[in-house]
Amino acid sequence: MKPVREVIGKGFFPNLVEINLLAQSLCRDGQPHEAQQLLMECMNKGCAVNVVNFSTVIHGFGQKDDLEAALSLWDDMYFCNKDPGSVTYTTLIDALGKAGRIEDATELSMKMLRQGLAPSPVTYRPVIHQYCRKGRVEDLMKLLKNMISKGRFQTLFNLVIEKLCKFGYLKEADSLLGEGLRTASRTDAKTCHVYLSVGIPMSTYTVSCQMFNRNLLPDLLLCEKVSRRLLIGGKLEEADRLVLRFVERDCVLSQDQKHLQD
DNA sequence: CTAGGGTTAG
């Protein structure tokens, strides 16, 4: 990275994007401190520097688990009168979460809302992930209610349900599924799919039926999978009804089932 | 032709 510094020293003024690309490649090399130094030198030279540039380097520190450096750069950013955007917040939230400081991460996401910044689904993902990873499902549920009250995000329920599934909290996923999904959107269909492939057999039957009712149309593979698991659980009737329901839908039969029909 | 930064990964 020495060459870059020399170039800057000789009067080359990189623009915002160039600075960012340089910082990014330094961070990818595991050298966020170098990237930070680059930022400082650019500023000293009078180059314009951005929140985006700061985010990049903060992310770099987060990747290296250097939380102290990330936080101090966060402060520097305020000092330079660059107000963080929601992406910047998300970067730090993720870093805090990865370091196990879930409370701080949560607090920061609340602070972000107080600043009037709208969180994206991505903002909450790392937080939700960490709560699940630590098994703090109760707390997550409380948090979810809080998030919902702060502003509505269609995909928030989906996000939480899918995470719960991933970590095996099926009962909770199940009850949220009944509570949160009222639409027939693609994302809801995807969430149902995620649940169906791991969920509690009896309730996967219920969910499948709800999907039919809402026109979410579970596909054949999924129906087969669910009905197979129902069979294993001894629920012959439900397994049967599910496949029947699928066939009624006039969908294409798989090779296997064509065989069975003959 | 306002790009470039944020999720997941045992």
Side-chain angles (χ1 to χ4, degrees), chain A residues 3 15 30 32 133 145 169 186 240 261:
Chain A
N15 66 27
R133 204 167 70 85
K145 290 206 167 57
Y169 300 106
R186 230 165 234 300
D240 222 34
Q261 270 204 333

Side-chain angles (χ1 to χ4, degrees), chain A residues 172-212:
Chain A
E172 289 82 354
D174 186 42
S175 71
L176 273 190
L177 209 45
E179 198 179 314
L181 308 184
R182 289 279 175 272
T183 62
S185 66
R186 230 165 234 300
T187 41
D188 284 357
K190 190 194 140 210
T191 302
C192 290
H193 281 212
V194 171
Y195 179 74
L196 289 183
S197 48
V198 297
I200 303 159
M202 242 345 246
S203 91
T204 58
Y205 173 70
T206 317
V207 172
S208 305
C209 290
Q210 285 169 347
M211 286 182 78
F212 277 113

Side-chain angles (χ1 to χ4, degrees), chain A residues 34 37 66 152 160 166 219:
Chain A
E34 294 291 321
Q37 228 159 353
D66 194 344
R152 250 251 268 319
V160 173
K166 186 166 229 152
D219 66 13

Side-chain angles (χ1 to χ4, degrees), chain A residues 17 19-29 35 38 56-57:
Chain A
V17 178
I19 292 171
N20 209 49
L21 291 172
L22 288 167
Q24 228 180 330
S25 79
L26 281 169
C27 288
R28 268 200 281 268
D29 268 8
L38 175 76
T56 301
V57 181

Side-chain angles (χ1 to χ4, degrees), chain A residues 124-227:
Chain A
Y124 286 134
R125 192 185 307 251
V127 177
I128 293 167
H129 180 83
Q130 294 301 331
Y131 273 93
C132 285
R133 204 167 70 85
K134 298 270 179 183
R136 296 175 54 181
V137 184
E138 301 273 319
D139 292 334
L140 176 57
M141 292 308 163
K142 268 186 242 160
L143 188 61
L144 177 62
K145 290 206 167 57
N146 206 333
M147 290 166 171
I148 299 283
S149 71
K150 300 287 183 193
R152 250 251 268 319
F153 313 101
Q154 258 94 7
T155 54
L156 196 52
F157 269 103
N158 303 77
L159 196 61
V160 173
I161 292 166
E162 287 170 30
K163 278 293 179 195
L164 289 170
C165 285
K166 186 166 229 152
F167 285 86
Y169 300 106
L170 303 178
K171 274 213 302 268
E172 289 82 354
D174 186 42
S175 71
L176 273 190
L177 209 45
E179 198 179 314
L181 308 184
R182 289 279 175 272
T183 62
S185 66
R186 230 165 234 300
T187 41
D188 284 357
K190 190 194 140 210
T191 302
C192 290
H193 281 212
V194 171
Y195 179 74
L196 289 183
S197 48
V198 297
I200 303 159
M202 242 345 246
S203 91
T204 58
Y205 173 70
T206 317
V207 172
S208 305
C209 290
Q210 285 169 347
M211 286 182 78
F212 277 113
N213 294 341
R214 281 189 219 144
N215 259 321
L216 290 176
L217 299 181
D219 66 13
L220 178 59
L221 274 173
L222 206 54
C223 279
E224 285 178 336
K225 189 169 183 179
V226 172
S227 86

Side-chain angles (χ1 to χ4, degrees), chain A residues 4 8 12-15 18-19 22 35-49 53:
Chain A
V4 175
I8 292 171
F12 166 61
F13 286 75
N15 66 27
E18 287 162 343
I19 292 171
L22 288 167
Q36 180 178 20
Q37 228 159 353
L38 175 76
L39 280 202
M40 297 314 160
E41 277 174 34
C42 285
M43 288 169 75
N44 287 337
K45 287 283 163 203
C47 297
V49 169
N53 303 141

